[in-house]
Amino acid sequence: MHVVSGELHYFVNGHVEILRPGEGIVVNSSRLHYGFSPERRETWFSCAVISPTLFENLTADTTARCERAFAQHMEDFLHLTPDVDWQRDVLTAIERVIRLMPGGGMHGGRRGRADRNADAVISIGGDAAGSVVRSIADSNIDGRVSARGPAIGTTGTNGTSGTTTAVIVADPLPAVAAAIELCDKVLDRFQPNQPGDTGNDMAAEQGNRMSVLEMTGIIQRRFRDPLGLDDIAAAGGVSRSQCCILFNRYVGRTPNEYLTERRVEEARRLLRETNGSVAEIARACGFSTASYFVNVFRKRVGVTPGAFRSRP
């Protein structure tokens, strides 16, 4: 991610990094992450979400590099500044990937924003190397990537996917090549995190993260269902209390808040892209009643669903 203007706060596995204009971040694979603006101020950024499936199995040496870089005890992210040569090169490479995508990385005439009306970013990945998709959903944990949603309240897992609508590019090779080159620039930059930890500590940390990935994953897949805390905790193989502790540590919110935000984001998408009634959208997103949906949506987004839909 490359911040063009404004200030973006970026949450990665319990840590918040502040990104200023010209700076950026590379989030490691299978990390919980989201961007936000505490004061809800507009921030413009460029973002390329690249699935490791593009390159991780090309050769044995490449697989070994990926296994080392993506391990849970390695750094969760790299903070990029234009003052360091290699980091400036990475920031430039992000923009190059986006320029090579259809429309130059633009969606609806805008790039991604970190206010409550954020739009799309570019996603490259798929189940097979060379597949290029542009997604319309938040991240899940099934193997591709996501490319749409508000920076506020959207938690994803890098190297993962949600429900996607694929647009196959006539000639995806230049964008895929640029994406692989971008990954090559950063793959060996990740260093071991918390070197003082014991093997048991690292194993426990990895176990906790995998539990959270499973719990956020069930919410991403089944947010339309009447999910309860017991269902979410069971997905991660933990107790109700441990579920809440892990969400607070790694996601920065409660399981219910995360579930509600996922439902609201789906509602935003449906309001933008379909002609469904408010009641129909409420049901499609897992809200028990239309009135409850309207109240939650107004509280989270600042306007009613009808007012949101009428925005230009």
Side-chain angles (χ1 to χ4, degrees), residues 141-291:
I141 63 166
D142 296 327
R144 295 187 193 139
V145 287
S146 77
R148 189 169 190 169
I152 293 176
T154 298
T155 304
T157 53
N158 232 11
T160 61
S161 81
T163 304
T164 61
T165 293
V167 177
I168 304 302
V169 184
D171 183 7
L173 191 56
V176 171
I180 293 176
E181 181 181 0
L182 169 57
C183 292
D184 183 54
K185 291 178 182 294
V186 301
L187 202 59
D188 298 325
R189 298 287 181 175
F190 292 103
Q191 298 300 316
N193 197 26
Q194 300 174 335
D197 284 350
T198 66
N200 289 337
D201 290 336
M202 287 190 291
E205 177 74 5
Q206 182 169 357
N208 287 339
R209 291 184 179 185
M210 296 310 297
S211 291
V212 175
L213 288 174
E214 293 293 341
M215 292 187 289
T216 56
I218 194 174
I219 291 174
Q220 293 288 343
R221 292 190 303 272
R222 296 179 49 197
F223 64 89
R224 298 175 181 87
D225 300 337
L227 284 177
L229 183 58
D230 287 335
D231 301 309
I232 298 170
V238 297
S239 66
R240 289 163 56 98
S241 60
Q242 184 67 4
C243 170
C244 294
I245 291 171
L246 291 177
F247 260 82
N248 181 65
R249 177 178 176 184
Y250 293 99
V251 186
R253 64 206 65 197
T254 68
N256 187 60
E257 287 171 340
Y258 184 81
L259 173 60
T260 299
E261 288 166 357
R262 181 64 185 93
R263 287 171 170 169
V264 168
E265 176 51 28
E266 177 67 4
R268 291 166 63 115
R269 185 185 72 81
L270 293 176
L271 287 166
R272 283 191 300 256
E273 300 178 5
T274 75
N275 295 319
S277 68
V278 170
E280 290 171 337
I281 290 175
R283 289 193 297 271
C285 297
F287 291 97
S288 55
T289 66
S291 59

Side-chain angles (χ1 to χ4, degrees), residues 1-10 16-25 36 43-46 79-83 91:
M1 180 174 290
H2 176 206
V3 175
V4 178
S5 67
E7 185 176 274
L8 180 64
H9 287 60
Y10 214 84
V16 175
E17 196 78 355
I18 299 176
L19 307 177
R20 296 177 174 83
E23 297 181 339
I25 192 170
F36 64 100
T43 298
W44 291 78
F45 56 86
S46 302
H79 188 133
L80 308 174
T81 76
D83 301 324
L91 292 168

